Amino acid sequence: MSGSEIRRHSVTLQGHRTSISIEDAFWRRLQAIAARRGVSMNALIAEVDAARQGNLSSALRLLAFEDALARGPDGG
């Protein structure tokens, strides 16, 4: 399945390097969200990190999923 491979991505949150394990399809969606908002990936991830209540990777997947649902069946 295309986009299902999990990769580790290094990011900086609150001045500390950390890594996120997330599927390629979710990462691409997050990149699109960041581009639409005019922010860096680190800024987008920091925003999610500040608001999350559980696992960061799961919170990022939920953001990507909710964005896809809001944009309709073509994912626009």
Side-chain angles (χ1 to χ4, degrees):
M1 184 188 308
S2 177
S4 64
E5 185 170 340
I6 296 176
R7 296 191 197 277
R8 294 182 74 80
H9 300 272
S10 294
V11 296
T12 301
L13 297 174
Q14 299 178 4
H16 300 282
R17 296 291 287 170
T18 190
S19 63
I20 298 165
S21 296
I22 196 164
E23 293 81 0
D24 290 339
F26 287 111
W27 187 256
R28 287 191 303 271
R29 174 62 64 168
L30 292 168
Q31 289 175 316
I33 294 168
R36 279 198 316 273
R37 292 184 183 182
V39 299
S40 68
M41 283 293 284
N42 274 348
L44 179 69
I45 294 167
E47 178 184 323
V48 172
D49 184 49
R52 73 183 166 107
Q53 295 190 348
N55 178 278
L56 179 56
S57 293
S58 294
L60 291 167
R61 286 184 188 92
L62 285 173
L63 173 63
F65 178 71
E66 290 167 357
D67 179 74
L69 287 177
R71 298 188 71 72
D74 66 354

